[in-house]
């Protein structure tokens, strides 16, 4: 499991819980988790592109399987 999958699962659970209960604090927390999800997705996408273009690790994203 990648951090993006886990954080998006948490995001959707918090959004559903916040909506179901009407709890504004849970909804705001979901907003912060959403910002983290977005930032980590942008970082991961840019890292994959930069690492592929330069043929080396420019931005680390963890261990990857060799092709």
């Amino acid at each position: 499991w990648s951090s993006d999958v886990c954080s998006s699962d948490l995001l959707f659970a918090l959004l559903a819980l916040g909506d179901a209960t009407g709890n504004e604090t849970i909804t705001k927390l979901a907003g912060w988790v959403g910002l983290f999800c977005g930032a980590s997705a942008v970082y991961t996408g840019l890292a994959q592109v930069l690492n592929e273009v330069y043929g080396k690790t420019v931005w680390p994203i963890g261990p990857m399987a060799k092709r």
Side-chain angles (χ1 to χ4, degrees):
W1 290 79
S2 72
S3 62
D4 291 333
V5 171
C6 293
S7 59
S8 63
D9 289 345
L10 176 61
L11 171 61
F12 293 130
L14 287 171
L15 285 170
L17 186 62
D19 189 49
T21 62
N23 187 326
E24 188 175 323
T25 303
I26 295 174
T27 304
K28 285 185 180 182
L29 178 61
W32 284 106
V33 171
L35 288 172
F36 174 77
C37 283
S40 65
V42 168
Y43 177 88
T44 302
L46 283 172
Q48 288 176 344
V49 170
L50 290 172
N51 293 346
E52 183 70 26
V53 166
Y54 292 105
K56 62 180 182 177
T57 301
V58 178
W59 286 5
I61 52 176
M64 295 179 56
K66 297 278 183 186
R67 288 195 242 176

